[in-house]
Amino acid sequence: QVQLVESGGGLVQAGGSLRLSCAASGFTFSRYAMGWFRQAPGKEREFVASISWISWNDGRTSYEDSVKGRFTISRDNAKNTVYLQMNSLKPEDTAVYYCAADRSVVGGLVASEYDYWGQGTQVTVSS
């Protein structure tokens, strides 16, 4: 059974940091690109970051423009876990953050392209 379980969300003040984790099971994690999406109340789910499963180094990464330089996606294949380090958080980062797996070399930017999804973890940034 495929499972993606997010953790690490919570309440943080603007300018603070959080590290989200997503523990995967039930599929060959190392053969899937991984992504993070978020959805704020009343808004569509949007792409945040992705990381490939094949690369010469740690994996090719992509980021939504508003989080570049602040967020970092990484993965640990030995632990079947993907992370999202979030620094310099802003109130507009407040959303439910979802982990997703894409059976592709490089994670796509469109949510519909992903095969598996977690239940999400709430991130709230106060001003």
Side-chain angles (χ1 to χ4, degrees):
Q1 182 177 350
V2 172
Q3 289 190 3
L4 295 174
V5 182
E6 301 97 335
S7 62
L11 175 64
V12 64
Q13 295 184 52
S17 299
L18 286 173
R19 190 189 193 196
L20 305 184
S21 297
C22 173
S25 62
F27 65 99
T28 306
F29 178 81
S30 63
R31 297 284 183 159
Y32 281 71
M34 300 297 297
W36 287 96
F37 289 76
R38 66 187 181 186
Q39 188 166 21
K43 296 184 178 180
E44 297 293 320
R45 188 169 300 187
E46 68 173 353
F47 172 80
V48 176
S50 68
I51 185 167
S52 68
W53 66 267
I54 184 170
S55 71
W56 290 100
N57 297 296
D58 295 327
R60 179 174 176 80
T61 58
S62 296
Y63 296 94
E64 193 275 323
D65 287 343
S66 70
V67 308
K68 287 182 178 178
R70 300 189 298 121
F71 291 10
T72 302
I73 187 171
S74 62
R75 65 190 296 162
D76 186 340
N77 286 347
K79 295 182 178 180
N80 285 0
T81 301
V82 63
Y83 306 95
L84 185 68
Q85 178 67 47
M86 305 185 294
N87 299 325
S88 301
L89 283 162
K90 305 174 181 179
E92 49 263 46
D93 294 319
T94 296
V96 176
Y97 283 71
Y98 297 91
C99 173
D102 182 4
R103 192 179 64 182
S104 180
V105 174
V106 179
L109 307 180
V110 181
S112 62
E113 296 179 355
Y114 284 74
D115 299 287
Y116 308 123
W117 291 85
Q119 294 297 310
T121 185
Q122 177 71 48
V123 172
T124 302
V125 185
S126 62
S127 60

